[in-house]
Amino acid sequence: MTGSEIRAEFLEFFASRGHKVLPSASLIPDDKSLLLTVAGVVPFKPILWGKIEPIYPRIATVQKCVRTADLDNVGRTARHHTFFEMLGNFSFGDYFKKEAIKYAWEFVTRILKLEEEKLWVSTYSDDDDAFDIWRNIIGIPEKKIVRMGKEDNFWGPVGHSGPCGPCSEIFYDTGPKPECKCPPEECDPTCECGRFVELWNLVFTEYYADENGTLYPLPSKNIDTGAGLERVASVVQGVPTNFDTDLILPIINAIEVLLSCEYGKNEETDVSIKIIADHIRAITFLISDGVLPSNDGRGYVLKRLIRRAMRRGILLGHNKPFLYSLVDVVVDNMKDAYPELVSRQAFLKKILKIEEERFGKTLTIGVNMLKDIMSKSTDRILTGEDAFKLYDTYGFPLDVIREITSEKNFEIDEEGFKQLMEKQQANARKARKEDTSLDVERVYRDIESYDVKTEFIGYESLEGKAKVLFIIKNGEMATILKEGEKGFLIFDKTPFYAEKGGQVGDIGVVITDTFKGSILDTTNPHKEIITHKILVEKGSISVGEEAVLRVNERKRKAIVRNHTATHLLHAALRRTLGEHVRQSGSLVSPERMRFDFSHYEKLSEKQVKQVENMVNEWILMNLPVNVKITTLQDARKRGAMMLFEEKYGERVRLVEIDDVSKELCGGTHVKATGEIGMFRIISESAVSSGIRRIEAVTGEKAYELFLREEEELKRLSNVLSIPVEDLPDKINSLLKDIEDKKKEIEQFKSKEISHIAQGLLKGAKKIGGVKIIAECTKAMDMESLKKLADLLTMNQKNIAVILSSEANGKVSFIVKISDSLTDRLDAGRIAKEVAKVVGGSGGGRRTFASAGGKDTAKINEALSRGFQLVKESIS
């Protein structure tokens, strides 16, 4: 049975048992606590945590995953991977242990046709229910049911509260291993010899653990299972490792041809081949899902994988870009399950080749530098400072450095490296920390028990009457808010849009006959609850009261103009730059819009103008903006853009702008594009490697920008006393005049420096056949000092030059030594000593160095010190 057949059989098996089959979610999770999708359950985490209600009680998926926690083991063991596919079936409040165990056993024995006598299972030590089901219902002999402790067979949060539960695993016995120290008849899944392959993990989520680790039964019990497709395929196909399955072996065969190497003949060669084969799968899928190489977050994970794979290619004797050529075989091998790879194939190769070429330029230099550092080491330890320099300057991930040093039996001061990393990556680490909003706050858990939902009526109206259901003050539920106090109000319905999807929350007022409060922000902290941050300006408001809620109309209209404009901008970018463009973030506020998107290079001025013009053309056409509630399946057929498909329910909100744009979106929009008025791009910039950002304004703000620019043109016209239309020619003429004057000044400077050089050479002191110049020149910048030093040493065989100059209360030094004198003189050492005299610092090479300081009164003393050092060294 092929890997593709196993994948298809799995989904068909569970579909026939009432499961909704969903496509794999993106590797970019809709979860701020995770960099990447690491398991099949990740897309359903909000359901497990009780943040949203499940649309389907039974689900089956084959989820693409990427993990890097065990990166050092990849290629060196039979089962470790970065990219893998996880077969999973899930039940949310539907079936539980008995059905989950029966389904798993039936699939493994009847569909995969694995021999029952070779199957073992494990249960959590205290889970008697699972043990009894395996023994009494399935009929597994008791000796083949292994009870394991919490470390192995209990899934749940570590160090914080959350849903959790015991696990049960299915193992396949591959036969005794020569290296195993157990007697064959006593070896079981607790042994780490590799004899027993874990096929499937069944998680029974039946408890909630509080901060102290106390377990409470969940009212709704869930099932979360996961089976690695590659592991299953290796057992079904009867091959020794996952790499020998038809899921990966075609890539290995392509590597053999491409890099002129042979798999299965040499252990270290095999390690390199397997690392490349594994990493190219992860690289291909990461880029396909919108991850681009960068220096932080998931982009850095991708960059590490690319660079590790490149180095393995070099170890196999290949120094040119090659990874991009392997994309074709990955796509060909996976296109049936993931057809989107085909349409993105050219883009995948382009991005990968660019990154290979970029790193290739520094790889050789960095490797040589590392070898040089190690050759000078006496204690066989690479300092944290050196490791960080290799990372920071040459882009070497620590694991690449670790590989190279381990080959030479070197250790790394990883603690020192980490300390330096912490200084540089504080912001990145902060962004990757788990968002505390993921923890269900106690107050909202209390409110949730009342089955509270806020109905949003703001699509149709900006005003409405509503009843106060709850008041929150100082993190606690309250019954009243008084004048001058701040708090949060929860109503039964509201026209206020809660911040979501990049669109900021509405502001406005809440009023009664005796009360007025300003709504400062609107958020959606939990499930279908909408909270209104309020400042009470007059009177008081209590739970149970009715009030009029009125959204600030001018602000909302500005927001909807900007939001619809982001959809038009997205469409224009994809048409101009290519379909690889994907939204990676946005901000929609009344003042402006910000749109982050995946693209690998800076946009040209022509491209920016082309995008801006395209959006404005669509605005002038006054295209209708239609909002339709439809099924996810229908939206997919219509070609709607879906950023995080796994978060959508069966009923979705589709925003269509004629034939220009189709996106699933819960935000507020104009009725027709003409309402936007005008669209102007303010800036285009880089957010990180592979992510670009456009900031723009629409409507009133765009018109205000136009007026400011017009006023500035009029002012320039008046200053230069010419018509506005003649400004470009006049400015170009002035710029040319400035450039000409600069050249004249440079020519004058060069003549002056040449004249000074002649005078200094005439006055040079000669000791032991060496000319020595140690002089202070008139105020010169460092560039002029360097030019003077170059002129003085030109065509001079034995000369030592020490020059100083004072400017703006600071003193600068240049030291330059003839190549012929480097066996006796060191410019870097002289610069350091000279700088000490004036309270500064300096350094450089043996032939050239620079220094600076603040004590201008000691310039002559410093020059004398430099002269004396030269004299002592050559005498």
Side-chain angles (χ1 to χ4, degrees):
M1 189 181 288
T2 66
S4 293
E5 288 170 342
I6 295 170
R7 191 190 293 119
E9 290 282 0
F10 177 84
L11 295 176
E12 186 179 327
F13 175 86
F14 281 99
S16 68
R17 286 155 180 77
H19 290 67
K20 176 68 176 179
V21 173
L22 295 180
S24 172
S26 170
L27 285 171
I28 303 175
D30 187 18
D31 183 337
K32 293 180 181 178
S33 72
L34 295 171
L35 279 180
L36 297 165
T37 300
V38 295
V41 73
V42 167
F44 310 111
K45 187 175 173 183
I47 298 174
L48 289 178
W49 280 79
K51 291 179 70 67
I52 62 172
E53 294 297 328
I55 304 298
Y56 310 107
R58 299 182 176 201
I59 291 173
T61 64
V62 178
Q63 176 63 49
K64 50 194 175 187
C65 304
V66 169
R67 292 181 188 173
T68 57
D70 295 316
L71 198 57
D72 290 339
N73 289 325
V74 173
R76 297 188 180 278
T77 69
R79 316 287 173 204
H80 281 97
H81 298 290
T82 54
F83 175 85
F84 61 96
E85 295 176 84
M86 186 172 282
L87 312 173
N89 59 290
F90 306 89
S91 168
F92 304 111
D94 189 22
Y95 63 82
F96 200 47
K97 292 182 185 179
K98 184 171 77 172
E99 294 85 351
I101 289 173
K102 288 176 71 175
Y103 288 153
W105 186 255
E106 186 179 355
F107 181 76
V108 167
T109 57
R110 295 187 185 178
I111 307 302
L112 298 183
K113 301 187 186 306
L114 297 181
E115 310 94 310
E116 291 188 20
E117 62 272 16
K118 291 191 175 183
L119 296 174
W120 288 59
V121 297
S122 68
T123 64
Y124 177 50
S125 55
D126 295 340
D127 190 359
D128 294 332
D129 292 341
F131 187 92
D132 289 343
I133 293 167
W134 282 116
R135 182 184 60 185
N136 301 331
I137 297 177
I138 303 301
I140 302 287
E142 191 167 322
K143 69 174 184 177
K144 296 178 74 175
I145 307 173
V146 183
R147 289 183 184 261
M148 294 189 181
K150 200 166 188 177
E151 184 177 339
D152 296 303
N153 275 61
F154 196 93
W155 178 89
V158 179
H160 57 83
S161 60
C164 56
C167 309
S168 183
E169 296 167 312
I170 301 176
F171 295 86
Y172 183 82
D173 183 358
T174 62
K177 303 295 179 187
E179 62 272 21
C180 183
K181 296 179 181 179
C182 308
E185 64 278 4
E186 295 181 14
C187 191
D188 64 26
T190 61
C191 182
E192 297 181 356
C193 67
R195 172 176 172 175
F196 294 90
V197 178
E198 179 196 329
L199 288 182
W200 206 334
N201 188 15
L202 316 178
V203 181
F204 312 125
T205 313
E206 56 182 316
Y207 299 111
Y208 182 90
D210 66 13
E211 289 81 356
N212 300 316
T214 305
L215 300 180
Y216 301 94
L218 286 172
S220 177
K221 295 174 171 41
N222 307 308
I223 290 293
D224 153 27
T225 84
L229 175 60
E230 294 77 8
R231 286 177 177 237
V232 172
S234 71
V235 170
V236 171
Q237 295 172 12
V239 293
T241 78
N242 296 0
F243 293 93
D244 299 298
T245 67
D246 68 327
L247 294 166
I248 303 176
L249 194 58
I251 304 172
I252 289 176
N253 293 336
I255 294 169
E256 289 181 290
V257 174
L258 185 63
L259 303 187
S260 301
C261 55
E262 190 172 356
Y263 179 61
K265 297 293 184 181
N266 176 275
E267 185 177 347
E268 273 309 305
T269 297
D270 285 357
V271 169
S272 292
I273 291 173
K274 288 189 283 187
I275 287 174
I276 295 169
D278 169 89
H279 287 13
I280 191 60
R281 297 204 320 152
I283 290 164
T284 300
F285 276 92
L286 283 168
I287 299 175
S288 176
D289 277 6
V291 180
L292 293 175
S294 66
N295 290 326
D296 55 25
R298 57 184 67 95
Y300 184 62
V301 172
L302 173 60
K303 181 179 279 191
R304 286 173 65 196
L305 296 178
I306 293 172
R307 297 186 172 191
R308 278 173 57 88
M310 284 179 65
R311 180 173 177 270
R312 285 293 164 174
I314 290 173
L315 291 178
L316 293 175
H318 200 85
N319 294 309
K320 295 180 180 179
F322 70 94
L323 289 172
Y324 75 97
S325 300
L326 294 172
V327 169
D328 293 334
V329 68
V330 177
V331 172
D332 189 58
N333 208 36
M334 305 292 275
K335 63 185 178 185
D336 291 340
Y338 306 98
E340 68 273 11
L341 290 174
V342 178
S343 62
R344 299 169 189 166
Q345 191 167 353
F347 173 70
L348 300 175
K349 294 176 70 174
K350 183 172 185 178
I351 291 296
L352 189 47
K353 189 175 183 183
I354 288 172
E355 181 62 22
E356 285 190 88
E357 290 171 343
R358 184 179 293 160
F359 185 49
K361 293 176 182 178
T362 58
L363 181 59
T364 303
I365 298 172
V367 169
N368 289 338
M369 179 182 173
L370 178 53
K371 288 180 178 177
D372 183 58
I373 292 170
M374 290 192 293
S375 69
K376 295 176 181 177
S377 173
T378 56
D379 56 5
R380 307 192 76 78
I381 295 176
L382 184 71
T383 67
E385 186 176 354
D386 283 333
F388 183 75
K389 184 177 181 181
L390 286 162
Y391 161 81
D392 194 39
T393 305
Y394 299 100
F396 272 40
L398 182 61
D399 39 88
V400 171
I401 300 171
R402 194 184 292 123
E403 276 191 11
I404 298 172
T405 52
S406 66
E407 289 164 5
K408 302 294 181 182
N409 295 317
F410 264 68
E411 293 182 7
I412 303 173
D413 174 18
E414 295 199 23
E415 187 58 39
F417 175 86
K418 287 176 184 176
Q419 289 174 4
L420 291 168
M421 280 287 289
E422 284 175 5
K423 290 181 181 179
Q424 187 186 67
Q425 294 189 317
N427 291 335
R429 289 200 324 276
K430 184 178 179 182
R432 292 198 293 269
K433 286 181 181 177
E434 184 164 351
D435 186 350
T436 55
S437 66
L438 291 173
D439 294 327
V440 184
E441 297 179 23
R442 179 182 53 79
V443 66
Y444 290 116
R445 286 207 300 270
D446 292 342
I447 291 172
E448 181 193 359
S449 65
Y450 293 94
D451 194 27
V452 174
K453 295 180 181 179
T454 306
E455 179 189 358
F456 178 61
I457 59 173
Y459 290 134
E460 299 81 22
S461 175
L462 297 182
E463 183 176 316
K465 283 188 176 181
K467 180 187 288 187
V468 179
L469 300 180
F470 291 93
I471 294 175
I472 301 169
K473 183 173 70 172
N474 299 326
E476 300 287 341
M477 280 196 281
T479 58
I480 189 169
L481 270 182
K482 299 177 181 179
E483 189 170 320
E485 291 183 332
K486 284 185 179 180
F488 296 88
L489 301 182
I490 299 173
F491 296 91
D492 61 342
K493 56 188 173 183
T494 180
F496 284 77
Y497 183 86
E499 179 181 359
K500 191 183 295 183
Q503 179 173 331
V504 299
D506 281 330
I507 62 172
V509 294
V510 177
I511 55 175
T512 68
D513 292 339
T514 60
F515 165 84
K516 182 181 179 183
S518 290
I519 300 298
L520 308 175
D521 194 11
T522 311
T523 57
N524 174 210
H526 185 54
K527 286 191 176 180
E528 297 177 62
I529 298 172
I530 295 176
T531 61
H532 306 72
K533 185 178 181 180
I534 188 170
L535 169 64
V536 180
E537 296 180 358
K538 185 182 79 172
S540 63
I541 192 165
S542 302
V543 172
E545 278 192 68
E546 277 203 344
V548 175
L549 283 68
R550 188 175 297 146
V551 175
N552 184 310
E553 184 176 4
R554 187 169 182 176
K555 295 287 188 184
R556 167 68 85 83
K557 285 186 175 179
I559 289 171
V560 299
R561 285 194 291 265
N562 282 337
H563 200 151
T564 304
T566 64
H567 287 222
L568 295 177
L569 174 60
H570 198 180
L573 286 167
R574 287 172 66 86
R575 293 190 185 194
T576 303
L577 306 177
E579 293 192 0
H580 64 275
V581 170
R582 287 177 148 202
Q583 179 180 340
S584 62
S586 69
L587 170 69
V588 179
S589 72
E591 291 75 28
R592 64 190 173 99
M593 55 163 284
R594 185 182 72 213
F595 189 80
D596 297 345
F597 59 98
S598 55
H599 190 56
Y600 47 87
E601 61 188 357
K602 178 180 174 62
L603 272 66
S604 66
E605 288 185 19
K606 182 179 178 182
Q607 287 173 323
V608 171
K609 187 55 64 179
Q610 186 177 345
V611 168
E612 185 179 83
N613 289 342
M614 197 178 294
V615 173
N616 279 308
E617 283 177 20
W618 290 330
I619 291 171
L620 288 171
M621 291 167 69
N622 199 29
L623 302 171
V625 179
N626 296 313
V627 178
K628 178 182 179 182
I629 305 299
T630 184
T631 64
L632 185 62
Q633 186 176 6
D634 178 61
R636 197 180 291 121
K637 285 180 181 177
R638 288 169 175 263
M641 287 286 291
M642 301 180 187
L643 300 178
F644 296 108
E645 189 169 330
E646 70 275 11
K647 75 178 181 181
Y648 303 118
E650 181 55 33
R651 305 294 291 175
V652 294
R653 189 168 182 266
L654 174 62
V655 178
E656 288 186 293
I657 307 175
D658 202 59
D659 290 330
V660 169
S661 169
K662 295 180 180 69
E663 292 193 33
L664 299 191
C665 179
T668 56
H669 290 273
V670 298
K671 302 296 183 186
T673 58
E675 294 177 34
I676 298 171
M678 182 188 297
F679 173 83
R680 291 290 305 277
I681 292 177
I682 299 171
S683 66
E684 189 276 336
S685 60
V687 177
S688 60
S689 178
I691 302 294
R692 308 296 301 178
R693 169 173 293 169
I694 281 180
E695 296 192 65
V697 289
T698 64
E700 290 179 20
K701 295 296 180 182
Y703 182 60
E704 289 172 8
L705 177 61
F706 169 77
L707 290 178
R708 288 198 304 272
E709 291 175 346
E710 184 182 45
E711 190 61 36
E712 189 63 25
L713 287 173
K714 287 179 180 178
R715 191 185 68 80
L716 285 172
S717 174
N718 291 332
V719 169
L720 298 174
S721 301
I722 59 170
V724 169
E725 58 268 23
D726 292 338
L727 279 174
D729 290 339
K730 182 64 176 177
I731 291 172
N732 285 332
S733 176
L734 288 172
L735 289 173
K736 186 177 183 305
D737 289 345
I738 291 170
E739 281 301 312
D740 290 342
K741 295 302 180 186
K742 282 183 178 178
K743 288 179 182 177
E744 289 180 18
I745 292 169
E746 287 301 316
Q747 288 173 358
F748 176 77
K749 276 187 176 180
S750 295
K751 288 180 181 178
E752 185 183 26
I753 291 172
S754 179
H755 179 72
I756 293 171
Q758 291 174 12
L760 291 175
L761 282 170
K762 285 180 181 178
K765 295 181 181 179
K766 199 166 186 178
I767 299 175
V770 176
K771 288 182 180 179
I772 306 174
I773 297 174
E775 295 288 343
C776 179
T777 64
K778 69 173 191 174
M780 277 189 183
D781 56 29
M782 284 296 282
E783 195 58 38
S784 297
L785 271 183
K786 289 176 184 177
K787 286 182 180 178
L788 179 56
D790 289 341
L791 281 173
L792 289 170
T793 55
M794 190 182 298
N795 301 323
Q796 298 291 326
K797 187 175 181 183
N798 296 318
I799 189 168
V801 175
I802 306 170
L803 300 175
S804 72
S805 181
E806 179 191 348
N808 301 320
K810 295 181 180 179
V811 59
S812 301
F813 292 94
I814 290 291
V815 182
K816 191 161 186 183
I817 307 295
S818 298
D819 290 342
S820 58
L821 298 176
T822 54
D823 58 333
R824 290 181 284 171
L825 297 175
D826 183 344
R829 175 174 167 270
I830 294 169
K832 285 181 182 178
E833 293 298 321
V834 166
K836 287 179 183 178
V837 178
V838 292
S841 60
R845 306 187 304 273
R846 293 189 72 86
T847 56
F848 181 85
S850 60
K854 296 179 180 179
D855 194 347
T856 57
K858 293 186 176 181
I859 292 177
N860 289 331
E861 183 183 338
L863 290 170
S864 296
R865 173 63 178 151
F867 182 90
Q868 192 62 32
L869 285 171
V870 173
K871 183 178 177 182
E872 290 172 358
S873 298
I874 62 176
S875 298

